[in-house]
Amino acid sequence: MAIFEEKQPKTWMTILLIASAFLLAYPLWNLGGRELFWNEGEYAVAASEMWVFPPFVTLHGQGSAELQPLFPLFARLLHSTGLSMEFSLRFLSVFPLAALTFLTGLICWRASGRQAGAAAAVAMATSLLVAVKGVEGYPHLLGALVLYGGWI
């Protein structure tokens, strides 16, 4: 006879805990409150000069082949809704991180159970590389979401 039995955590409590931890780690209300980082200025210029169709990226009137057109295009669309450019760039980094966290947790949940899914989601959201690049307005996580979503 066992003295202690481990109970399965409830699904809604697990999702609520992970979502609240994510929002505390990456607060959406604080994304536009800082100045631009290193190369975020290049992405801001590219987004403000972006042509919607065809998606051609320019920096100060010069064509640029180094920048991905999807990230400045989405930033331009968000900025045209009235959001600040800083918020638009950083939201496009945090939203793919939330989607990657959800996908990783869901896949591990279906493969190995609720505890494995929760652990995988938390590990995805709190890894050091993601925590550093997640709040900066760079296209790395959007590219990772596109690649990961295509792979699934």
Side-chain angles (χ1 to χ4, degrees):
M1 183 168 154
I3 297 174
F4 177 76
E5 287 185 27
E6 185 175 348
K7 295 180 181 176
Q8 289 284 334
K10 295 180 179 159
T11 303
W12 65 271
M13 186 61 92
T14 304
I15 293 172
L16 181 68
L17 181 65
I18 292 172
S20 62
F22 185 87
L23 286 175
L24 286 175
Y26 306 100
L28 295 178
W29 55 89
N30 197 21
L31 288 180
R34 293 182 308 226
E35 295 294 322
L36 294 174
F37 285 120
W38 296 82
N39 293 339
E40 278 184 316
E42 291 180 10
Y43 291 109
V45 169
S48 63
E49 294 181 1
M50 182 79 188
W51 292 92
V52 176
F53 188 81
F56 185 65
V57 180
T58 60
L59 293 172
H60 305 291
Q62 302 275 331
S64 176
E66 291 102 27
L67 296 178
Q68 306 170 4
L70 189 64
F71 187 74
L73 177 66
F74 285 159
R76 168 91 178 192
L77 293 174
L78 278 176
H79 183 62
S80 68
T81 63
L83 298 171
S84 69
M85 185 59 75
E86 292 87 0
F87 183 84
S88 300
L89 291 171
R90 293 181 184 137
F91 181 76
L92 285 175
S93 291
V94 173
F95 178 72
L97 174 59
L100 284 170
T101 300
F102 174 74
L103 283 175
T104 304
L106 183 66
I107 290 168
C108 290
W109 188 326
R110 290 186 177 177
S112 298
R114 192 177 299 146
Q115 285 103 346
V122 168
M124 177 67 199
T126 60
S127 69
L128 184 60
L129 179 65
V130 168
V132 169
K133 293 294 179 190
V135 294
E136 298 175 1
Y138 296 124
H140 307 309
L141 292 173
L142 184 62
L145 177 64
V146 169
L147 290 174
Y148 193 61
W151 179 63
I152 291 174

